[in-house]
Amino acid sequence: MAQPPYDPYGYGSQDPYAQQSYSQPPAVQHHYYGASMPVAPPTNGMATASLVCGLIGFFACGVTSILAVIFGHVSLSQIKRTGEGGHGMAVTGLILGYLISAGWLLILLFYILGIAMFAASSGSTY
């Protein structure tokens, strides 16, 4: 009589690495936390762009602050129409845009006045 082949794993004839078949799929667990979960509305992208351009406006010599004003007004109209979030970011971008634009215009005005005063004071006398 022949002996069965040697099984080093001690499991008999079952292969330990073989794929196991299940007769039933595993149960699915649903995690419901209530019927009325508050969902935040999505943030308007133009409002975010307005805030970012307003923050960068000081370092970009007021160029992006003009974009902050434009994006802010467009985003406020979109927020009013669609009900998206981001109203505070749009208003903050508008305020920063207007303040930084006015500040850079004043700096430019004083710079031009300084050049004009220097040119007028260094008149040629013979």
Side-chain angles (χ1 to χ4, degrees):
M1 177 161 228
Q3 286 187 338
Y6 173 71
D7 185 14
Y9 302 109
Y11 293 111
S13 63
Q14 182 181 6
D15 185 10
Y17 299 110
Q19 186 175 5
Q20 299 176 358
S21 62
Y22 295 102
S23 60
Q24 294 180 352
V28 178
Q29 294 180 348
H30 297 285
H31 299 284
Y32 295 113
Y33 294 107
S36 61
M37 284 286 295
V39 177
T43 304
N44 188 296
M46 290 262 189
T48 306
S50 173
L51 179 64
V52 170
C53 288
L55 291 171
I56 297 173
F58 183 75
F59 302 106
C61 299
V63 174
T64 59
S65 60
I66 297 167
L67 293 173
V69 171
I70 294 169
F71 289 152
H73 283 293
V74 171
S75 67
L76 283 178
S77 68
Q78 287 179 353
I79 289 169
K80 190 183 299 183
R81 188 185 58 212
T82 62
E84 291 178 314
H87 183 269
M89 291 187 344
V91 171
T92 304
L94 276 171
I95 292 170
L96 286 173
Y98 279 127
L99 287 176
I100 293 172
S101 293
W104 277 106
L105 284 175
L106 283 174
I107 290 171
L108 184 65
L109 178 69
F110 285 137
Y111 183 73
I112 291 173
L113 284 175
I115 290 174
M117 289 173 56
F118 178 74
S121 68
S122 65
S124 59
T125 55
Y126 293 106

